[in-house]
Amino acid sequence: MEKVFAYICASAETAPRILKRYCRKVYELGYVPICPALNDAQYLALSNSDELRDLHSIALQKLARCRMLVVCGKEISHDMSVEIGFAEKRHLICTTLDGLARIQDAEDAGIE
């Protein structure tokens, strides 16, 4: 069975070790985590304004291919708001990491 792609929406200031934890939790819940902030920042020079712009463009392209957006963290940054708005316009599921865990708990309990 193919797993659903879940876009990890987190602040640009989130440390890579925290992003890895978010991705791990999403993976453990049965989804494929897509995290441009963790993956694409490894090969793009974020100090270069053109490449930073490319990072945002690449992230939105990846988000467009996902079925859901998972908001991670306590604060919502401007860039996160843009991603959330983009997801809502495309009628993607938008939830939090805790919400995703509750969905999984309900599915495990047989509640629909």
Side-chain angles (χ1 to χ4, degrees), residues 9 11 71-82 84:
C9 179
S11 171
V71 177
C72 298
K74 297 181 194 294
E75 303 281 328
I76 295 180
S77 68
H78 172 73
D79 290 338
M80 291 171 71
S81 293
V82 169
I84 293 166

Side-chain angles (χ1 to χ4, degrees), residues 9-43:
C9 179
S11 171
E13 288 79 37
T14 306
R17 65 182 172 77
I18 302 298
L19 291 172
K20 288 177 187 177
R21 281 192 218 154
Y22 293 151
C23 289
R24 179 67 191 186
K25 183 64 176 172
V26 169
Y27 167 75
E28 288 172 350
L29 291 169
Y31 300 89
V32 176
I34 304 299
C35 187
L38 182 60
N39 300 325
D40 300 334
Q42 293 183 42
Y43 64 86

Side-chain angles (χ1 to χ4, degrees), residues 78-93:
H78 172 73
D79 290 338
M80 291 171 71
S81 293
V82 169
E83 292 172 337
I84 293 166
F86 184 90
E88 288 175 341
K89 285 180 186 175
R90 283 156 181 76
H91 306 288
L92 302 178
I93 296 167

Side-chain angles (χ1 to χ4, degrees), residues 44-54:
L44 292 171
L46 303 184
S47 58
N48 178 309
S49 61
D50 290 334
E51 292 193 20
L52 182 60
R53 192 172 31 258
D54 287 344

